[in-house]
């Protein structure tokens, strides 16, 4: 497929041929060269090769690149997932990793490729709908996708499905909101497995957009995962030794490297405050940006997945335990819907929040999936959104 001298083609994981290895090196270099912009401008660097991230999260995918002559000037990927929404199974494609060069021809033309890709994937992969996650502080992305000055027929439509916040926890103020003494958090033990499975099954029934594999068989879902493991669970118990919450912290280094290029004024002020907090023993400093050090240094954090709790005091205990068991240079990250009050950052924590939107995408004149509507208020499983 070509347009205005630009060529669209599908990219594949490398094989042993020299040309394939060179293509994937170029793709990885292009992807890393363009930062995502927001409170922190970040470049993402993948270990080994560009496709290692998708292989680690163990999901089927397709990646497309736009080329101008022999130069890569754009890329976008789609992850394919089966979800359970109430009593209906849906297959959705999540658009991610969009990178477009600043070349004016590419900026004006890339959307013309996007529309036919969606229709092609709908047919070939039997897709019910398309979704994407957008950082709402990323002005360029919001202006390009959500509120363009001029709407053209070839541009996909976007509709907000859910609002959520990405929270980073950097420490805890002394003596404020200590963990409840009647809540005990400890690492998983083999004897916990049956009770933990029962707890997960019960709690997952209260949530929409659970991955189908997780809904059908949590044991196999975790056993097959390259990231999750039973031994990494932290479990919260009440005074009667009943499970009342759990969490699985995942190191960012298992996925990809997040390289801060520059901080906004707000994030810079937080970073300066954390320097003092670390000296006083109640916080952890953040990585210096490239603009200051002229070195590419990765942010170190843990993603809190399977973060389930019966009430806010349990959440407080789980987050504090995750922080305590993490490394001294790591902070914590988790996502929660803005309507889910019990998942708000615990009182006494040093935190920052970034607003995100989960958007439904559709081609021109097609209707959005009713399941991807703000009218649905049941909490959704946000662990499928990788950052």
């Amino acid at each position: 497929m070509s347009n205005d001298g630009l060529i669209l083609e599908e990219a594949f994981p490398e094989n042993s041929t020299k040309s394939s290895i060179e293509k994937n090196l170029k793709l990885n270099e292009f992807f890393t060269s363009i930062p995502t912009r927001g409170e922190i401008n970040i470049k993402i660097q993948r270990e080994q090769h560009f496709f290692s991230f998708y292989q680690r999260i163990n999901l089927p995918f397709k990646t497309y690149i736009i080329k101008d002559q022999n130069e890569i000037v754009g890329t976008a990927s789609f992850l394919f997932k089966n979800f359970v929404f109430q009593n209906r199974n849906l297959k959705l494609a999540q658009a991610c990793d969009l990178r477009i060069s600043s070349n004016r021809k590419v900026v004006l033309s890339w959307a013309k490729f996007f529309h036919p890709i969606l229709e092609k994937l709908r047919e070939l992969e039997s897709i019910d709908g398309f979704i994407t996650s957008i950082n709402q502080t990323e002005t360029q992305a919001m202006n390009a996708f959500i509120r363009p000055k001029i709407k053209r027929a070839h541009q996909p439509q976007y509709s907000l499905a859910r609002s959520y916040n990405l929270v980073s926890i950097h420490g805890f103020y002394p003596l404020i909101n200590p963990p409840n003494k009647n809540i005990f958090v400890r690492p998983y033990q083999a004897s916990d497995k049956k009770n933990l499975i029962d707890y997960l099954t019960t709690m997952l029934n209260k949530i929409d957009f659970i991955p189908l594999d997780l809904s059908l068989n949590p044991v196999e879902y975790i056993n097959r995962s390259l990231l999750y493991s039973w031994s990494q669970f932290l479990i919260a118990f009440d005074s009667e030794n009943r499970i009342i919450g759990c969490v699985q912290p995942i190191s960012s280094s298992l996925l990809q490297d997040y390289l801060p290029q520059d901080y906004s004024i707000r994030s810079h002020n937080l970073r300066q405050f954390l320097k003092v907090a670390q000296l006083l023993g109640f916080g952890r400093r953040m990585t210096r940006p490239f603009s200051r050090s002229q070195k590419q240094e990765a942010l170190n954090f843990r993603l809190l997945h399977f973060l389930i709790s019966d009430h806010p005091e349990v959440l407080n205990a789980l987050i504090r335990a995750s922080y305590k068991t993490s490394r001294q240079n790591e902070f914590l990250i988790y996502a929660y819907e803005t309507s889910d009050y019990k998942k708000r950052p615990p009182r006494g924590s040093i935190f920052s929040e970034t607003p995100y939107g989960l958007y439904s995408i559709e081609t021109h004149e097609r209707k959005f999936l009713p399941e991807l509507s703000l009218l649905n208020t049941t909490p959704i499983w946000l662990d499928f959104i990788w950052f």
Side-chain angles (χ1 to χ4, degrees):
M1 187 184 298
S2 63
N3 200 319
D4 297 329
L6 304 174
I7 298 173
L8 176 72
E9 60 183 52
E10 187 175 348
F12 300 93
E14 65 186 42
N15 53 39
S16 58
T17 65
K18 183 178 179 180
S19 61
S20 175
I21 293 172
E22 289 177 350
K23 284 181 181 179
N24 281 283
L25 283 173
K26 288 181 179 179
L27 175 56
N28 208 12
E29 289 172 2
F30 172 77
F31 177 77
T32 302
S33 70
I34 300 180
T36 59
R37 302 189 181 278
E39 288 294 327
I40 305 177
N41 295 337
I42 294 177
K43 287 184 177 181
I44 295 177
Q45 180 175 285
R46 292 185 172 160
E47 298 178 15
Q48 299 176 358
H49 56 83
F50 175 80
F51 300 97
S52 61
F53 174 78
Y54 309 131
Q55 292 167 347
R56 287 179 183 178
I57 63 176
N58 201 25
L59 286 173
F61 66 91
K62 283 189 181 294
T63 294
Y64 296 91
I65 59 175
I66 302 173
K67 299 177 74 173
D68 187 1
Q69 296 182 0
N70 200 36
E71 179 186 1
I72 297 175
V73 291
T75 182
S77 296
F78 296 85
L79 302 174
F80 307 121
K81 312 172 187 181
N82 291 293
F83 295 98
V84 177
F85 178 85
Q86 296 177 4
N87 295 320
R88 184 183 175 193
N89 295 343
L90 295 170
K91 185 174 183 181
L92 302 180
Q94 181 185 351
C96 60
D97 292 340
L98 176 66
R99 299 289 189 275
I100 300 296
S101 79
S102 57
N103 181 302
R104 179 174 173 77
K105 179 171 66 172
V106 182
V107 171
L108 294 175
S109 302
W110 75 267
K112 298 176 184 177
F113 292 105
F114 206 63
H115 197 284
I117 287 177
L118 297 185
E119 290 298 343
K120 181 179 179 180
L121 290 177
R122 191 194 309 275
E123 180 181 353
L124 293 178
E125 302 292 336
S126 301
I127 298 299
D128 295 304
F130 299 88
I131 56 174
T132 193
S133 179
I134 298 178
N135 179 341
Q136 293 178 335
T137 69
E138 196 172 347
T139 307
Q140 289 181 335
M142 293 295 290
N143 289 340
F145 305 127
I146 310 306
R147 44 176 185 254
K149 292 181 179 179
I150 301 174
K151 290 189 176 182
R152 297 180 173 88
H154 64 265
Q155 287 184 311
Q157 309 171 78
Y158 291 78
S159 175
L160 181 64
R162 296 297 173 102
S163 294
Y164 69 94
N165 286 346
L166 187 65
V167 181
S168 59
I169 304 287
H170 301 272
F172 298 88
Y173 294 105
L175 307 178
I176 299 177
N177 193 27
N180 189 312
K181 294 180 180 179
N182 294 316
I183 298 173
F184 174 61
V185 180
R186 63 164 171 78
Y188 167 89
Q189 297 175 1
S191 58
D192 299 323
K193 191 168 187 177
K194 182 182 182 305
N195 290 337
L196 179 57
I197 292 169
D198 291 343
Y199 179 76
L200 286 173
T201 301
T202 299
M203 299 303 285
L204 292 176
N205 286 333
K206 302 175 183 178
I207 304 172
D208 277 337
F209 286 105
I210 298 292
L212 179 61
D213 292 347
L214 174 59
S215 175
L216 293 175
N217 193 329
V219 176
E220 284 300 311
Y221 182 84
I222 293 171
N223 287 344
R224 288 198 309 266
S225 172
L226 300 177
L227 296 174
Y228 302 134
S229 68
W230 296 102
S231 62
Q232 296 304 309
F233 270 105
L234 296 175
I235 306 175
F237 298 86
D238 64 13
S239 57
E240 298 179 2
N241 207 35
R242 293 176 301 195
I243 294 179
I244 53 176
C246 63
V247 65
Q248 174 128 184
I250 301 172
S251 174
S252 59
S253 62
L254 293 175
L255 297 166
Q256 51 195 7
D257 289 331
Y258 301 79
L259 310 173
Q261 303 302 296
D262 202 4
Y263 289 87
S264 68
I265 293 176
R266 187 169 77 107
S267 295
H268 171 75
N269 290 340
L270 174 63
R271 195 175 77 86
Q272 297 305 311
F273 171 75
L274 289 172
K275 288 181 182 179
V276 178
Q278 178 162 308
L279 289 174
L280 297 176
F282 61 88
R284 294 173 185 170
R285 67 173 65 195
M286 295 176 68
T287 305
R288 290 185 302 169
F290 177 79
S291 61
R292 293 293 180 96
S293 67
Q294 296 302 302
K295 295 180 181 179
Q296 297 290 6
E297 301 176 79
L299 292 168
N300 298 290
F301 59 89
R302 296 201 178 191
L303 286 161
L304 300 185
H305 278 204
F306 285 93
L307 182 57
I308 304 172
S309 61
D310 285 4
H311 52 79
E313 288 193 9
V314 181
L315 180 78
N316 182 35
L318 287 168
I319 289 179
R320 285 177 178 269
S322 299
Y323 185 81
K324 186 177 180 180
T325 56
S326 63
R327 295 176 180 173
Q328 288 301 308
N329 64 344
E330 291 179 322
F331 59 96
L332 308 178
I333 279 184
Y334 73 95
Y336 79 99
E337 288 185 79
T338 52
S339 58
D340 190 355
Y341 298 105
K342 72 177 184 180
K343 275 200 170 181
R344 288 185 171 183
R347 187 169 58 87
S349 60
I350 303 172
F351 68 91
S352 177
E353 292 185 284
T354 303
Y356 275 77
L358 181 65
Y359 290 86
S360 175
I361 312 174
E362 265 308 341
T363 50
H364 187 59
E365 295 183 346
R366 280 189 181 269
K367 294 183 178 180
F368 293 101
L369 276 177
E371 290 84 358
L372 295 172
S373 165
L374 288 173
L375 297 175
N376 299 307
T377 56
T378 303
I380 64 171
W381 187 253
L382 289 171
D383 285 4
F384 71 85
I385 302 174
W386 297 90
F387 304 95

